[in-house]
Amino acid sequence: MATPDRMTCEEVFARLEDFVDRELSPDEMRRVQEHLDACAACAAEHRFEASVIRGLREKLQRIDLPQDLLARISRRLREEG
């Protein structure tokens, strides 16, 4: 049985996306990192997910958006809200 402060692979896997985005509490970030430091399988999954997210961010930064997009979205939200 796992000690209360240690995360299982399943628990880490469920939090990987939030870990990559740094959206976990400091305690959860620490616990996930400790698991990744000790578990090669989860560390490999983390590297894969991080590379996918990094690639998506890079591609999104290269997309040219219309200058008035933010204003149109804001107006639409006000109209529907």
Side-chain angles (χ1 to χ4, degrees), residues 16 20 36 39-52 54:
L16 272 182
V20 170
L36 294 175
C39 180
C42 288
E45 183 64 28
H46 169 254
R47 284 190 301 275
F48 172 75
E49 286 200 23
S51 71
V52 169
R54 204 171 24 256

Side-chain angles (χ1 to χ4, degrees), residues 3-81:
T3 60
D5 198 42
R6 309 247 327 151
M7 289 186 147
T8 65
C9 293
E10 186 176 320
E11 291 170 324
V12 168
F13 187 77
R15 290 172 173 82
L16 272 182
E17 186 177 324
D18 291 335
F19 179 79
V20 170
D21 290 337
R22 301 183 188 278
E23 294 179 351
L24 298 175
S25 70
D27 183 59
E28 283 184 305
M29 291 291 291
R30 176 189 58 79
R31 291 172 59 212
V32 169
Q33 186 61 60
E34 286 175 356
H35 183 90
L36 294 175
D37 291 343
C39 180
C42 288
E45 183 64 28
H46 169 254
R47 284 190 301 275
F48 172 75
E49 286 200 23
S51 71
V52 169
I53 290 171
R54 204 171 24 256
L56 286 171
R57 286 181 180 147
E58 289 171 5
K59 288 180 191 268
L60 289 173
Q61 290 176 350
R62 292 188 297 240
I63 295 174
D64 289 326
L65 299 174
Q67 292 290 327
D68 66 336
L69 180 62
L70 183 57
R72 291 186 345 221
I73 291 170
S74 295
R75 185 174 54 248
R76 184 74 177 259
L77 288 172
R78 282 191 305 274
E79 290 170 359
E80 293 188 14

